[in-house]
Amino acid sequence: MRDKTKALLLSLFIMITITLIGCSNEAGGTENDSTQGQEWGEVLNISVGQQPGILDPALTTATATHDVARAMYETLVTLDDNYEVIPMLAESFEMSEDGKTITFPLRKAIKFHNGEEMTADDVIASMERWMSISAQAQSDIPGAEWEKVDEDTVAVHLQAPSAISLYTIAEQNQLPIIVPKEIAEEAGAGAIEDYIGTGPLKLDEWRTDQYIKFVKFKDYQPRSEEPTGLGGRKEALADEIYWHFVPDESTRVSGLISGEYDIILGLPYDNVGQIQDTDGLKTEIWPYGMEMLVFNKQEGTFADQKMRQAINAALDVESILYASFGDEQFFELEHGVFTPEIKAWYTDAAKDKYNMQNEDLAQQLIEESGYDGEEIVILATREYPHFYSAAVATLEQLENLGLNVSLELYDLATMLDRRDDPELWDIFFTGWNTQFIPQGYSFLDSKAGWAGWTNSEKIDQYLDDISKAPTMEEASALASDLQEEFWDYLPIINVGLFHNVAGMKENVTGFRNFIGPLLWNVGIEE
């Protein structure tokens, strides 16, 4: 009798165990179909050129911050491969019939890196902080109020319906990250210093000028959907990820060839062929965004719109792109403020004003402006070689136009400081990654206060009209008018699209870029 009882209990125990394992896998657990049965290296070493100044992506638009912080922090909603809004920490979202309230049921049992569960109070505190510091939020959804509906639901109440409201809440310039309530309230308008998020990686160590070390967050709860864009299922495949700061390009390349690094970002264009020809290594090339010439429009030579138009009329942008990147596989001639895959906003408007190479028109505009030989200062840094090369190529073209031009070289931090003073420069080069609504480009917005000091009533009105459009059809219809005005006012010159390149070992799998490199679902296959 005792033997039968023991056998029955043993059978019952096995059945319960199998059931629990099955439930765990169905709930999302830590396994997914694409990685089951594979063995992954415990440590992933990534080498980059720039280090972040802060790790608070809600407070800065710096890509050096966003590239690492997105694996630590998450947002209510994000973007899929088609740049459409999808839920992340929200289970779903629902727009009211009048378009003025969006309700977000929250995912349950989501833990922060400190072990505490995320609550509606954390979400409200985080979103209210973001509203107070994000220029885009204040411009696109002014006066929006966040409400705790219940313990598992939040809502935002808009002053007026807006087709782009959800896109604003999925902003990628100043990320509306969700952090514990006490951290959001303590930071306020300042930088977060206690780095606690909900992402698949958590911060373990940050050594200035050396590296950031992340470790796998073992309590992370991935979504069940397939990975897409910045959303879907996310998994940390390596136990540790080191994000090494290596400003010298040759050192990064040598480290990849020697095996010190598994991935290097910002592979110099001149070394792409070398890495492709090296056994055991490969490259990944992906579109980044615009290479652009920025004018100082507050004072000096280019406060005059005709002088900006003169430069645009004269420039041979294809030559500048070749000087910057050396090979057309790394750039594209493209006039659009939006890339063709952003179908809601792409337009052929003002295509005739791109890459004109019309010296006669340029000279006419220079004469009409009254330019009298004033020095034109181009700021540059060698820390971004393709921007430096673009500056040198532009200097030569402007000198050939008869302008008095000088090039001032600085380290990146000094250059960024100097561009805040309108008395110290006239032109600098930078890049802007792909955006999914016009408001994502701060250089368009007079209220954004971005370097260059845009001040166009017409552009501001188009942005305002787009923000207030109740449907995407009505908002998209304004794209052509906005782009026409962009090429007339010229807050910047869109030189063209450029691509970024990463080098990596052949056994690196799952590496993707979407508005920057993604640190989840990537590992070293053993």
Side-chain angles (χ1 to χ4, degrees):
M1 184 70 177
R2 287 181 180 176
D3 291 340
K4 290 182 179 179
T5 302
K6 287 182 179 179
L8 180 62
L9 290 172
L10 179 60
S11 298
L12 182 61
F13 174 78
I14 292 171
M15 290 175 63
I16 292 172
T17 301
I18 292 172
T19 301
L20 287 173
I21 291 172
C23 291
S24 173
N25 286 342
E26 289 174 3
T30 58
E31 295 183 334
N32 65 61
D33 293 340
S34 64
T35 59
Q36 283 185 8
Q38 291 175 267
E39 294 185 5
W40 304 97
E42 295 181 355
V43 180
L44 184 66
N45 287 285
I46 303 173
S47 176
V48 300
Q50 295 81 35
Q51 67 175 314
I54 59 175
L55 285 181
D56 182 355
L59 199 64
T60 178
T61 61
T63 56
T65 295
H66 291 190
D67 285 351
V68 287
R70 290 189 307 181
M72 298 165 50
Y73 299 112
E74 296 181 304
T75 52
L76 276 177
V77 293
T78 191
L79 302 171
D80 67 11
D81 282 336
N82 297 315
Y83 295 87
E84 296 297 331
V85 179
I86 57 174
M88 182 182 279
L89 289 175
E91 185 64 46
S92 60
F93 50 82
E94 182 178 357
M95 182 79 73
S96 63
E97 288 188 11
D98 65 3
K100 295 174 67 175
T101 298
I102 311 172
T103 302
F104 302 90
L106 303 176
R107 295 173 62 202
K108 297 179 181 179
I110 299 298
K111 288 187 177 181
F112 287 111
H113 298 155
N114 60 6
E116 297 178 1
E117 283 198 10
M118 181 188 75
T119 68
D121 291 326
D122 300 313
V123 174
I124 294 296
S126 298
M127 297 307 293
E128 288 179 343
R129 173 180 182 258
W130 171 71
M131 286 289 302
S132 72
I133 59 179
S134 167
Q136 186 169 330
Q138 292 164 16
S139 176
D140 296 354
I141 49 174
E145 295 184 356
W146 289 85
E147 176 197 6
K148 175 183 175 181
V149 178
D150 58 40
E151 294 300 324
D152 300 310
T153 312
V154 301
V156 61
H157 301 286
L158 309 174
Q159 290 186 338
S162 172
I164 66 168
S165 56
L166 270 169
Y167 290 91
T168 300
I169 297 169
E171 179 186 359
Q172 293 300 306
N173 285 328
Q174 287 181 258
L175 289 173
I177 57 174
I178 305 302
V179 298
K181 176 183 178 182
E182 60 274 15
I183 291 177
E185 291 179 343
E186 181 179 353
I192 285 174
E193 296 181 356
D194 193 5
Y195 309 114
I196 303 295
T198 61
L201 296 173
K202 64 179 181 179
L203 182 71
D204 184 68
E205 185 180 16
W206 182 3
R207 292 195 177 185
T208 303
D209 298 325
Q210 296 184 54
Y211 60 77
I212 290 174
K213 177 187 175 185
F214 297 108
V215 296
K216 178 187 296 188
F217 180 37
K218 295 182 179 179
D219 288 332
Y220 181 70
Q221 293 292 329
R223 295 190 67 95
S224 60
E225 301 92 340
E226 285 299 307
T228 178
L230 296 168
R233 187 177 61 241
K234 297 189 285 189
E235 182 180 1
L237 299 182
D239 293 328
E240 301 175 353
I241 294 181
Y242 284 85
W243 187 262
H244 300 273
F245 311 127
V246 185
D248 183 71
E249 293 178 326
S250 61
T251 303
R252 291 204 301 278
V253 173
S254 298
L256 177 63
I257 293 173
S258 70
E260 181 180 0
Y261 306 125
D262 302 305
I263 301 171
I264 65 170
L265 301 179
L267 176 63
Y269 300 105
D270 291 343
N271 294 105
V272 170
Q274 176 189 10
I275 297 304
Q276 291 173 339
D277 292 339
T278 301
D279 289 341
L281 300 180
K282 62 182 179 179
T283 61
E284 292 282 347
I285 303 173
W286 68 93
Y288 177 80
M290 276 191 282
E291 171 131 314
M292 58 196 212
L293 179 158
V294 183
F295 291 111
N296 173 359
K297 298 171 291 298
Q298 181 163 311
E299 59 183 76
T301 302
F302 298 112
D304 189 319
Q305 184 175 350
K306 287 187 180 295
M307 277 299 292
R308 302 197 297 272
Q309 292 173 339
I311 302 305
N312 183 58
L315 288 184
D316 176 354
V317 298
E318 187 170 9
S319 294
I320 294 173
L321 290 169
Y322 268 111
S324 299
F325 304 105
D327 192 304
E328 61 186 12
Q329 68 176 314
F330 305 129
F331 69 83
E332 298 175 43
L333 289 169
E334 176 53 67
H335 75 289
V337 177
F338 288 92
T339 54
E341 67 265 23
I342 315 295
K343 295 179 181 178
W345 303 107
Y346 186 74
T347 170
D348 278 339
K351 191 172 184 177
D352 59 326
K353 294 182 180 178
Y354 177 71
N355 196 26
M356 289 190 281
Q357 302 180 46
N358 188 334
E359 185 173 342
D360 290 340
L361 175 59
Q363 292 291 1
Q364 176 187 329
L365 289 165
I366 290 170
E367 184 176 348
E368 291 175 4
S369 76
Y371 174 75
D372 193 29
E374 295 85 0
E375 184 181 31
I376 295 170
V377 175
I378 302 177
L379 293 182
T381 176
R382 291 185 184 273
E383 292 180 46
Y384 284 92
H386 58 96
F387 294 149
Y388 167 72
S389 297
V392 171
T394 299
L395 174 109
E396 293 174 355
Q397 291 192 29
L398 298 190
E399 285 182 335
N400 290 338
L401 201 59
L403 303 179
N404 176 19
V405 193
S406 66
L407 184 69
E408 295 187 1
L409 278 176
Y410 301 96
D411 63 84
L412 178 62
T414 303
M415 192 195 85
L416 295 180
D417 284 341
R418 290 183 72 84
R419 78 178 192 184
D420 289 335
D421 187 338
E423 295 182 357
L424 299 180
W425 64 277
D426 297 288
I427 288 172
F428 73 89
F429 278 85
T430 190
W432 207 286
N433 60 13
T434 300
Q435 295 296 304
F436 47 95
I437 57 173
Q439 285 76 3
Y441 292 117
S442 298
F443 56 79
L444 293 176
D445 191 349
S446 299
K447 298 184 290 294
W450 190 74
W453 302 283
T454 293
N455 185 21
S456 167
E457 291 183 2
K458 288 185 178 180
I459 290 178
D460 288 343
Q461 187 61 57
Y462 286 130
L463 293 176
D464 191 48
D465 291 344
I466 288 170
S467 295
K468 292 176 180 177
T471 67
M472 276 302 298
E473 289 76 13
E474 292 174 84
S476 299
L478 296 165
S480 294
D481 292 335
L482 174 63
Q483 188 157 289
E484 287 280 2
E485 184 59 27
F486 164 84
W487 281 104
D488 187 54
Y489 176 80
L490 288 168
I492 66 162
I493 292 177
N494 172 17
V495 179
L497 297 179
F498 71 96
H499 305 323
N500 279 345
V501 188
M504 62 197 71
K505 296 177 180 177
E506 279 191 341
N507 61 345
V508 170
T509 184
F511 178 81
R512 290 187 67 238
N513 262 271
F514 188 87
I515 319 179
L518 308 185
L519 300 187
W520 54 86
N521 302 340
V522 57
I524 300 287
E525 190 170 4
E526 295 287 280

